[in-house]
Amino acid sequence: MKARTTFFTVIFFMILSIGYAQKDKLKNRLITGKVSISKYHSLEELKRLPKGDLLTLYTERIEVIVNILPNIAFATKPNVTMSSLGIPETKENKKALEANEKASQEYFDSTIQFQKSILPYSDSKDLIAAILFYEQTLKSLHTYNDFKVD
């Protein structure tokens, strides 16, 4: 009985330490949050959608753009860390990254709050144009490396 309790206690602490270690590693990623959309749309597809669905698509694209574009000089894909780019993981750099993540989240939250209250008044044609523009911008991220000069 005592061996069983000891065994489960050891297993519990191992799982706890692994979970904590994973959180620490994920914390210093340069791009966090949603970084992709599930589908690109055509003009015809968007014209058939009700305005509520257009609002959702618009908001999803804003979320992806807010998470990626400010850090495009560093990375265009998730899971890039400071250390993988050769940036020293000093206390100051980690603090700057955390401040940037917090500011990005606050900006996103306030933008979405504004969008939810004001965006329903927009014209469906304008929403469709914006969605197509955002999707084209997101597609261009796949060719970002073509612009890098060695």
Side-chain angles (χ1 to χ4, degrees), residues 37-72:
I37 59 175
S38 59
K39 180 183 178 194
Y40 293 103
H41 296 85
S42 68
L43 177 61
E44 293 75 28
E45 288 175 316
L46 293 174
K47 283 182 178 180
R48 290 191 301 261
L49 292 177
K51 192 170 188 177
D53 291 346
L54 292 174
L55 294 169
T56 302
L57 290 175
Y58 182 85
T59 303
E60 288 174 354
R61 274 118 191 96
I62 287 177
E63 181 178 6
V64 173
I65 286 174
V66 165
N67 284 317
I68 293 177
L69 286 185
N71 297 311
I72 196 170

Side-chain angles (χ1 to χ4, degrees), residues 50-115:
K51 192 170 188 177
D53 291 346
L54 292 174
L55 294 169
T56 302
L57 290 175
Y58 182 85
T59 303
E60 288 174 354
R61 274 118 191 96
I62 287 177
E63 181 178 6
V64 173
I65 286 174
V66 165
N67 284 317
I68 293 177
L69 286 185
N71 297 311
I72 196 170
F74 300 114
T76 58
K77 306 246 186 279
N79 301 323
V80 174
T81 62
M82 289 190 303
S83 61
S84 68
L85 294 173
I87 300 170
E89 291 193 42
T90 63
K91 183 189 264 188
E92 293 82 20
N93 290 347
K94 287 181 181 180
K95 197 173 190 178
L97 180 61
E98 289 172 9
N100 183 53
E101 287 174 2
K102 182 179 177 187
S104 293
Q105 188 60 48
E106 288 173 357
Y107 170 75
F108 175 72
D109 291 343
S110 67
T111 299
I112 295 304
Q113 183 179 358
F114 172 77
Q115 299 293 343

